[in-house]
Amino acid sequence: MEKFVIEGGKKLSGSVEISGAKNAILPIMAVTLLAKGKSALRNVPKLNDIKMMSHLLRIIGARVDYEDKSLAIDTSYCSFYEAPYEIVSKMRASINVLGPLLARFGKAKVSLPGGCAIGTRPVDLHLKAMEKFGAKINIKNGYIYAEAKELKGAKIYFEKVSVGATENAISVAVSAKGETEIFNAAVEPEITSMIDFLVKMGAQIEGKGTSHLKIKGVQELHSAEMEMIPDRIEAGTFLLAAAITKSEITVKNCVSEHLQSLIEKMEKAGSRFRIENKNIKIFPAERIKPVDIFTEPYPGFPTDLQAQFLALMTLADGESKITDEIFPDRFMHVAELLRLDANITMNKNVASVKGVKQLSGAEVMATDLRASAALVLAGLAAKGKTVISRIYHIDRGYEKIEEKLKQLGADIKRVQG
Ligand code: UD1
């Protein structure tokens, strides 16, 4: 098992290139199943989650090749409509093939995702949406069996905003018979990007970027090509790495509008920014001010940056409250940050963080993707050596994070053991 060894306290400098967005790429990979043919996705990072989705598509019968940051997906000969437990239990986003499989084959068998380090994460909204299109759903032996003779356009109102359920609903609506309206749809940039791809495939979708979508089902979709959007969570993580180490860096190739809620909170904490085209330069605060956050669907503060922001607050000059409304149990990083001498108390889904003068290095364990990123940030700022185990979590969603950090001047090594 690999670990990161970080000697904290080094300032960062220079610039870092942001990779393509994992959470935009995974659903787009899934919707390539809707049509026969060869699709091409450019600006795709080498990440374990993307390898896992490629593996799943191959099981379904697609040919997937990765070369030079591009994924070529040929879905001409797909015939298997199952997402097995062995894959879904490792990567929840596998649930994204449910809609596309149902639309293409009239049936789908997808393992229930089960538990996850950040909470229970049900799939009821996905299933209710499939039923609205006319699918029959059965749950048996840990699997979702979905079947429909004909999928018909529907009116779908989501009682809660869900990224994945919105994506599954859109992917059925684009080829269902008639018109679909989706109310209270998620509006994350990753959804907008999936809509752009579907429109390239021939889909008819109105209302992009809003929570009310109108979709006319078409008889046939075709393959498409597209450049993937930059990863806003990776960009945010590097901005927070600069803030916590009080360093001036430039984060290159990102979309600043996707990061507005973070930038606003970081400005309140004292950081200043210069935004030029696709680059964001951060001028950090010498004294980090305490700022409260609560997570919300986009354009609110993303739950995927909650752990990293909390890490920054451990060194603030005062007390802040970090509330996760989306995943109330997503606080596994807190116990690990305490090992670095942070001062945090939990009350349900609210962390009260009292800033300390200094964190000190320790051995800690990564528990999930974004929690691992928070530990890396804390390790960069801590005095002395921090050793982070189970870093396979971070490889799911950050491309070569230690190389990018090393290039910025951090003292971080990947070691075996
Ligand atoms: C996606 C992201 C994940 C991010 C999350 C919230 C991907 C691959 N993953 O996950 O990184 O943290 O959005 O921004 O894009 N819910 C239900 N029933 C459902 C589905 C969801 O109650 O059927 C709840 C969830 O428990 C959660 C909330 O809805 O409280 C939002 O979850 P959702 O937006 O669906 O997250 P994911 O799509 O799984």
Side-chain angles (χ1 to χ4, degrees), residues 287-291 313-320 353-356:
R287 178 184 154 252
I288 301 165
K289 288 186 233 159
V291 177
M313 288 299 109
T314 62
L315 287 170
D317 199 355
E319 184 170 346
S320 58
V353 187
K354 278 204 181 109
V356 294

Side-chain angles (χ1 to χ4, degrees), residues 3 7 37 74 82 208 253 294 303 331:
K3 295 179 177 176
E7 277 302 332
D74 186 350
E82 182 175 332
K208 184 177 89 172
N253 184 34
F294 59 98
T303 171
F331 285 100

Side-chain angles (χ1 to χ4, degrees), residues 75-375:
T75 55
S76 304
Y77 306 103
C78 292
S79 56
F80 195 63
Y81 47 85
E82 182 175 332
Y85 176 70
E86 132 215 16
I87 308 266
V88 186
S89 58
K90 292 197 189 101
M91 187 188 61
R92 237 193 97 81
S94 314
I95 190 80
N96 269 86
V97 299
L98 176 65
L101 287 178
L102 185 61
R104 176 146 173 189
F105 299 107
K107 48 188 164 184
K109 178 182 172 191
V110 176
S111 168
L112 277 168
C116 157
I118 67 175
T120 45
R121 301 183 79 176
V123 291
D124 57 314
L125 299 172
H126 298 247
L127 303 185
K128 275 186 207 152
M130 300 299 110
E131 282 175 335
K132 286 265 177 175
F133 289 111
K136 288 220 157 38
I137 304 281
N138 275 305
I139 310 276
K140 223 168 65 190
N141 306 116
Y143 275 84
I144 304 161
Y145 292 82
E147 200 163 353
K149 285 217 167 54
E150 185 182 52
L151 291 159
K152 286 197 189 126
K155 286 203 190 319
I156 295 172
Y157 172 78
F158 284 116
E159 62 202 62
K160 192 168 184 182
V161 179
S162 160
V163 174
T166 302
E167 288 164 347
N168 258 326
I170 296 172
S171 56
V172 172
V174 288
S175 59
K177 198 172 172 202
E179 195 169 297
T180 294
E181 276 190 84
I182 304 179
F183 303 91
N184 203 23
V187 296
E188 268 67 3
E190 293 75 23
I191 303 234
T192 304
S193 148
M194 187 183 103
I195 291 177
D196 285 337
F197 190 80
L198 286 166
V199 168
K200 282 179 190 278
M201 290 179 81
Q204 292 189 16
I205 306 174
E206 269 177 47
K208 184 177 89 172
T210 75
S211 57
H212 180 196
L213 299 171
K214 280 190 186 166
I215 302 172
K216 259 201 196 116
V218 295
Q219 289 224 316
E220 207 169 304
L221 295 160
H222 49 80
S223 54
E225 292 186 13
M226 201 172 87
E227 173 95 5
M228 299 295 107
I229 58 168
D231 194 319
R232 62 193 169 104
I233 305 302
E234 187 196 17
T237 302
F238 278 103
L239 291 174
L240 288 160
I244 201 170
T245 55
K246 302 187 176 163
S247 308
E248 210 176 285
I249 68 164
T250 303
V251 175
K252 287 188 158 175
N253 184 34
C254 54
V255 182
S256 60
E257 299 92 80
H258 294 173
L259 287 154
Q260 274 319 307
S261 58
L262 173 71
I263 288 176
E264 200 173 289
K265 290 294 181 184
M266 288 183 75
E267 278 176 342
K268 284 201 174 126
S271 296
R272 293 288 166 260
F273 297 90
R274 192 164 70 217
I275 297 165
E276 271 168 14
N277 303 321
K278 289 176 139 197
N279 301 339
I280 305 179
K281 183 162 188 176
I282 168 167
F283 304 93
E286 253 330 293
R287 178 184 154 252
I288 301 165
K289 288 186 233 159
V291 177
D292 296 345
I293 59 158
F294 59 98
T295 65
E296 281 181 303
Y298 188 82
F301 194 95
T303 171
D304 285 351
L305 285 171
Q306 177 260 104
Q308 302 90 313
F309 196 89
L310 192 154
L312 176 66
M313 288 299 109
T314 62
L315 287 170
D317 199 355
E319 184 170 346
S320 58
K321 293 223 183 307
I322 309 288
T323 309
D324 204 319
E325 302 281 3
I326 300 193
F327 296 118
D329 298 327
R330 191 177 206 175
F331 285 100
M332 303 275 276
H333 40 288
V334 166
E336 301 302 309
L337 289 169
L338 293 178
R339 297 182 52 76
L340 299 175
D341 284 350
N343 183 348
I344 310 165
T345 44
M346 287 303 307
N347 183 7
K348 295 189 182 138
N349 64 334
V350 184
S352 301
V353 187
K354 278 204 181 109
V356 294
K357 288 244 154 4
Q358 176 90 68
L359 295 172
S360 37
E363 287 185 47
V364 291
M365 196 172 78
T367 50
D368 68 73
L369 171 57
R370 307 302 171 187
S372 339
L375 297 179

